[in-house]
mmCIF file of all heavy atoms in Angstrom:
data_model
loop_
_atom_site.group_PDB
_atom_site.id
_atom_site.type_symbol
_atom_site.label_atom_id
_atom_site.label_comp_id
_atom_site.label_asym_id
_atom_site.label_seq_id
_atom_site.Cartn_x
_atom_site.Cartn_y
_atom_site.Cartn_z
ATOM 1 N N SER A 28 119.292 131.353 21.602
ATOM 2 C CA SER A 28 118.290 132.221 22.216
ATOM 3 C C SER A 28 118.530 133.635 21.681
ATOM 4 O O SER A 28 119.649 133.990 21.327
ATOM 5 C CB SER A 28 118.422 132.202 23.741
ATOM 6 O OG SER A 28 119.698 132.670 24.134
ATOM 7 N N ILE A 29 117.471 134.403 21.602
ATOM 8 C CA ILE A 29 117.573 135.799 21.182
ATOM 9 C C ILE A 29 116.816 136.602 22.233
ATOM 10 O O ILE A 29 115.612 136.416 22.419
ATOM 11 C CB ILE A 29 116.982 136.018 19.772
ATOM 12 C CG1 ILE A 29 117.779 135.199 18.745
ATOM 13 C CG2 ILE A 29 116.992 137.502 19.414
ATOM 14 C CD1 ILE A 29 117.239 135.264 17.332
ATOM 15 N N SER A 30 117.524 137.469 22.944
ATOM 16 C CA SER A 30 116.900 138.210 24.044
ATOM 17 C C SER A 30 116.254 139.510 23.594
ATOM 18 O O SER A 30 115.425 140.061 24.314
ATOM 19 C CB SER A 30 117.934 138.487 25.144
ATOM 20 O OG SER A 30 119.019 139.218 24.621
ATOM 21 N N SER A 31 116.603 139.989 22.425
ATOM 22 C CA SER A 31 116.010 141.237 21.941
ATOM 23 C C SER A 31 114.684 140.968 21.245
ATOM 24 O O SER A 31 114.431 139.861 20.763
ATOM 25 C CB SER A 31 116.985 141.947 20.994
ATOM 26 O OG SER A 31 117.317 141.116 19.917
ATOM 27 N N PRO A 32 113.809 141.983 21.198
ATOM 28 C CA PRO A 32 112.511 141.804 20.539
ATOM 29 C C PRO A 32 112.663 141.488 19.051
ATOM 30 O O PRO A 32 113.555 141.986 18.377
ATOM 31 C CB PRO A 32 111.826 143.159 20.723
ATOM 32 C CG PRO A 32 112.552 143.838 21.812
ATOM 33 C CD PRO A 32 113.956 143.315 21.767
ATOM 34 N N ILE A 33 111.774 140.641 18.585
ATOM 35 C CA ILE A 33 111.673 140.264 17.181
ATOM 36 C C ILE A 33 110.223 140.559 16.799
ATOM 37 O O ILE A 33 109.332 140.244 17.590
ATOM 38 C CB ILE A 33 111.950 138.755 16.986
ATOM 39 C CG1 ILE A 33 113.324 138.365 17.537
ATOM 40 C CG2 ILE A 33 111.815 138.343 15.521
ATOM 41 C CD1 ILE A 33 113.501 136.864 17.731
ATOM 42 N N PRO A 34 109.951 141.140 15.634
ATOM 43 C CA PRO A 34 108.556 141.316 15.260
ATOM 44 C C PRO A 34 107.806 139.983 15.361
ATOM 45 O O PRO A 34 108.222 138.977 14.793
ATOM 46 C CB PRO A 34 108.626 141.807 13.812
ATOM 47 C CG PRO A 34 109.935 142.541 13.756
ATOM 48 C CD PRO A 34 110.856 141.703 14.619
ATOM 49 N N GLY A 35 106.748 139.981 16.155
ATOM 50 C CA GLY A 35 105.992 138.753 16.388
ATOM 51 C C GLY A 35 106.445 137.996 17.622
ATOM 52 O O GLY A 35 105.780 137.067 18.072
ATOM 53 N N MET A 36 107.590 138.383 18.175
ATOM 54 C CA MET A 36 108.131 137.767 19.393
ATOM 55 C C MET A 36 108.716 138.897 20.250
ATOM 56 O O MET A 36 109.941 139.070 20.309
ATOM 57 C CB MET A 36 109.208 136.734 19.056
ATOM 58 C CG MET A 36 108.717 135.584 18.191
ATOM 59 S SD MET A 36 110.025 134.383 17.811
ATOM 60 C CE MET A 36 109.586 133.095 18.978
ATOM 61 N N PRO A 37 107.869 139.689 20.887
ATOM 62 C CA PRO A 37 108.352 140.885 21.592
ATOM 63 C C PRO A 37 109.321 140.611 22.732
ATOM 64 O O PRO A 37 110.069 141.503 23.127
ATOM 65 C CB PRO A 37 107.068 141.542 22.103
ATOM 66 C CG PRO A 37 106.025 140.471 22.080
ATOM 67 C CD PRO A 37 106.431 139.512 20.997
ATOM 68 N N LYS A 38 109.346 139.396 23.262
ATOM 69 C CA LYS A 38 110.280 139.051 24.340
ATOM 70 C C LYS A 38 111.452 138.235 23.829
ATOM 71 O O LYS A 38 112.180 137.623 24.605
ATOM 72 C CB LYS A 38 109.548 138.292 25.437
ATOM 73 C CG LYS A 38 108.495 139.141 26.116
ATOM 74 C CD LYS A 38 107.813 138.390 27.216
ATOM 75 C CE LYS A 38 106.770 139.282 27.855
ATOM 76 N NZ LYS A 38 106.064 138.614 28.931
ATOM 77 N N GLY A 39 111.646 138.202 22.506
ATOM 78 C CA GLY A 39 112.708 137.384 21.937
ATOM 79 C C GLY A 39 112.271 135.933 21.865
ATOM 80 O O GLY A 39 111.080 135.637 21.800
ATOM 81 N N LYS A 40 113.258 135.024 21.881
ATOM 82 C CA LYS A 40 112.925 133.599 21.798
ATOM 83 C C LYS A 40 113.942 132.770 22.562
ATOM 84 O O LYS A 40 115.117 133.114 22.631
ATOM 85 C CB LYS A 40 112.855 133.129 20.347
ATOM 86 C CG LYS A 40 114.188 133.156 19.615
ATOM 87 C CD LYS A 40 114.071 132.406 18.306
ATOM 88 C CE LYS A 40 115.249 131.543 18.010
ATOM 89 N NZ LYS A 40 115.626 130.491 18.881
ATOM 90 N N PRO A 41 113.499 131.662 23.143
ATOM 91 C CA PRO A 41 114.439 130.775 23.826
ATOM 92 C C PRO A 41 115.213 129.913 22.828
ATOM 93 O O PRO A 41 114.790 129.737 21.680
ATOM 94 C CB PRO A 41 113.533 129.912 24.708
ATOM 95 C CG PRO A 41 112.203 129.942 24.052
ATOM 96 C CD PRO A 41 112.113 131.249 23.311
ATOM 97 N N ALA A 42 116.309 129.387 23.282
ATOM 98 C CA ALA A 42 117.105 128.475 22.460
ATOM 99 C C ALA A 42 116.258 127.282 22.052
ATOM 100 O O ALA A 42 115.456 126.775 22.830
ATOM 101 C CB ALA A 42 118.333 128.005 23.242
#
Side-chain angles (χ1 to χ4, degrees):
S28 61
I29 298 176
S30 58
S31 58
I33 303 164
M36 300 180 102
K38 295 182 180 180
K40 66 168 222 60

